[in-house]
Structure formats: C-alpha cells, structure tokens
Amino acid sequence: MSGIKGKVIAVTGAGSGIGEATALHLAGQGGRLVLGGRRKDRLDAVVDRITARGGSAVGSVVDVTRRADLKRLTDTAVDRFGRLDVLVSNAGTMAISPFDELRQDDWDAMVATHVTGLLNGIGAALPVFRRQRSGHFVNVASTAAHVVKSPQGVYAATKTAVKVLSEGLRQESGPDLRVTLVSPGFTDTEGVGRGASPEAAAALVRQRDEIAMPPSAVASAIGYAIEQPDGIDIGEIVVRPTAQA
Ligand SMILES: NC(=O)c1ccc[n+]([C@@H]2O[C@H](COP(=O)([O-])OP(=O)(O)OC[C@H]3O[C@@H](n4cnc5c(N)ncnc54)[C@H](OP(=O)(O)O)[C@@H]3O)[C@@H](O)[C@H]2O)c1
C-alpha cells in the first residue's frame, strides 16, 4: 500500500500546469482528488482524464481569493469522501513586471492569490484537520522565495510569505499535522510569462523553453512528501532543473 492510496487530496490551481500534473500523479497512486480552480472547463477535463483511467476525482469552481470558495472546496471533500487528508495550495499567478510600470492590479492579484489565498486554505482546512487529528498542508512557493531576481520583486515577496507562513504553521501544528513547502524552479507550464509585462514575459518564456523541467517533476516531489509515514514531515523541498542558476 502506497502512502497516497485512499487519501483525500484537495489541489488548488488544478486545471493546468503543476496542479494538473499533481492531480494526475496522485490519482494514479490511488488518491481521491478534489480539484479547485476558476476555469470549469479545465477542471472538468482533468476530472475526466482521472475518471477515464479508473481514478476518483471531483471538481469545484474555486477562486482562492474568496474565503467561502475554499470552505466549499474542503466541504466538498468531506461531503463526497468523508474526510480531507491533504490540501495542496498551488494556485498562483506569475504576472511579473518592473516596479516602474506600476502594475498595481497585478501586485494586488499576487498578494490576494498567494498570501490571502493560502490563508483562506488554512482557514478552511485547519478545523477539519484538527477534528480528524490528522492532515497535511502542502504549500507551493517558488525558488523566487529563496533568491530574488529582478523584476520578480512582488512575486518573490508573496512567495517568501508562503515560506514564512508555512514555517509558522508548522511550528504550531503539533504532532498530528504535517506542513510541507515545495519550491519549484523553472517549470514548463502555460502560466510562465502569462500576465507579465511584454519584456519580462519574453525573457521568462525564453528561459522556460531553454531549461524548464516538466510539471511531473514537481508532482513527484509533492507525492514524495505525501507518501511518507504519518509521523514524518518533509518540511521543505526545492526542485529545479539542473541548468537553473
Ligand atoms: N512554472 C514555473 O516555472 C513555476 C515556478 C515556481 C513556482 N510556480 C508556482 O506553481 C504554481 C502553479 O503554477 P503553474 O506554473 O502550474 O502555472 P499555471 O498552469 O498557470 O497554473 C496556475 C493555476 O492556478 C489557477 N489560479 C490562478 N489564480 C487562481 C485563483 N485566484 N483561484 C483559483 N485558482 C487560481 C489557474 O487556473 P484558473 O485561471 O482556472 O483559476 C491555474 O490553473 C503557482 O503558484 C506558481 O507561482 C511555478
């Protein structure tokens, strides 16, 4: 029996990229998936792929910036499968630009998605985990939480917040809960450069196309943390292509 088999796992940002790869990987190991994201058609497509392979998954349209949506996601897990074992907080936006462009809506979106979104997930899942006396938070940050590179200041700050919140949560989580921070480097997804300023987007896409690793590499890292025995907490994983400086 793998340590993933039978676990009820909610994943945000599950309609594409790392979230999609994670959902497929975990469902392939026998996890029961609850998938959240804003685009229903993308969630439905992932659910269909999982069920076509004999797996178990349900989708829920979720905007992580809304507290009630995260509550609906965790409620869906409990109503459908009777419990929630893992919340993978992965939803994100890489709308990167230099400060001088004053793209304040993008700054707000990164804070809302990565910081408020993570807190909304903690707020929804923590009571469930406490009630069950077990549960696992897996929070997706970035290598930008470790090294700041211009013009990624706002993005890096919000991902650093993910790192800090994860460690604070870990210290308070006690013997029953686990908290894992996963920091990917360049990963080959549609989100790289999306919403970024044209110059930043071109540089990011060029680098992605030259050196990025497949999203399945991040999915495997997340699976490794989840499959550990209950008493073992993988605190942090940094996974990047070898070619990334
Ligand atoms: N690709 C990389 O090189 C890289 C490196 C380090 C870290 N990361 C991080 O990895 C995570 C996944 O990114 P990705 O590369 O897989 O890009 P992606 O394919 O664009 O995935 C991001 C997902 O998040 C969802 N999302 C965005 N805002 C949301 C919101 N407010 N509520 C709910 N869902 C939302 C998007 O779906 P909807 O638009 O349908 O909601 C999308 O499916 C992000 O946190 C990103 O910062 C990526």
Side-chain angles (χ1 to χ4, degrees):
M1 282 263 287
S2 127
I4 294 169
K5 194 170 169 59
K7 281 191 175 160
V8 180
I9 304 166
V11 181
T12 66
S16 64
I18 291 169
E20 175 185 14
T22 298
L24 292 168
H25 175 72
L26 298 175
Q29 306 290 313
R32 295 177 287 170
L33 274 296
V34 183
L35 309 182
R38 293 169 302 182
R39 289 169 296 176
K40 185 174 184 311
D41 58 325
R42 300 295 293 260
L43 292 178
D44 288 347
V46 181
V47 168
D48 287 348
R49 283 176 71 188
I50 290 172
T51 49
R53 296 173 186 180
S56 183
V58 59
S60 174
V61 173
V62 162
D63 181 338
V64 297
T65 68
R66 297 168 196 251
R67 208 179 281 178
D69 285 16
L70 263 303
K71 178 77 169 62
R72 185 156 24 78
L73 187 74
T74 57
D75 284 350
T76 299
V78 174
D79 293 347
R80 179 72 176 258
F81 299 115
R83 55 186 295 111
L84 175 68
D85 295 297
V86 186
L87 173 62
V88 181
S89 291
N90 162 75
T93 170
M94 294 173 273
I96 285 159
S97 59
F99 283 101
D100 273 326
E101 291 189 8
L102 297 178
R103 293 183 172 226
Q104 289 179 252
D105 287 345
D106 293 344
W107 303 349
D108 288 350
M110 285 188 274
V111 172
T113 310
H114 303 152
V115 184
T116 308
L118 176 62
L119 291 171
N120 286 341
I122 293 170
L126 189 56
V128 181
F129 290 170
R130 288 294 187 211
R131 205 163 48 240
Q132 295 173 169
R133 306 189 75 130
S134 76
H136 190 174
F137 292 97
V138 178
N139 300 332
V140 176
S142 167
T143 48
H146 297 261
V147 183
V148 186
K149 291 188 177 160
S150 171
Q152 299 187 15
V154 178
Y155 178 73
T158 60
K159 289 299 189 176
T160 301
V162 172
K163 181 162 67 124
V164 172
L165 290 168
S166 299
E167 175 58 13
L169 180 61
R170 188 196 66 76
Q171 290 179 17
E172 292 182 29
S173 59
D176 298 329
L177 306 192
R178 306 193 291 178
V179 182
T180 300
L181 181 76
V182 177
S183 292
F186 262 103
T187 310
D188 187 4
T189 71
E190 65 183 45
V192 175
R194 172 176 298 140
S197 63
E199 209 175 301
L204 290 166
V205 167
R206 192 168 52 245
Q207 221 176 340
R208 178 195 67 190
D209 293 347
E210 280 170 15
I211 67 165
M213 61 190 169
S216 57
V218 187
S220 300
I222 290 172
Y224 172 75
I226 293 173
E227 73 192 11
Q228 298 304 309
D230 286 347
I232 304 299
D233 184 14
I234 302 295
E236 184 162 2
I237 298 175
V238 182
V239 50
R240 55 166 86 80
T242 49
Q244 183 172 333

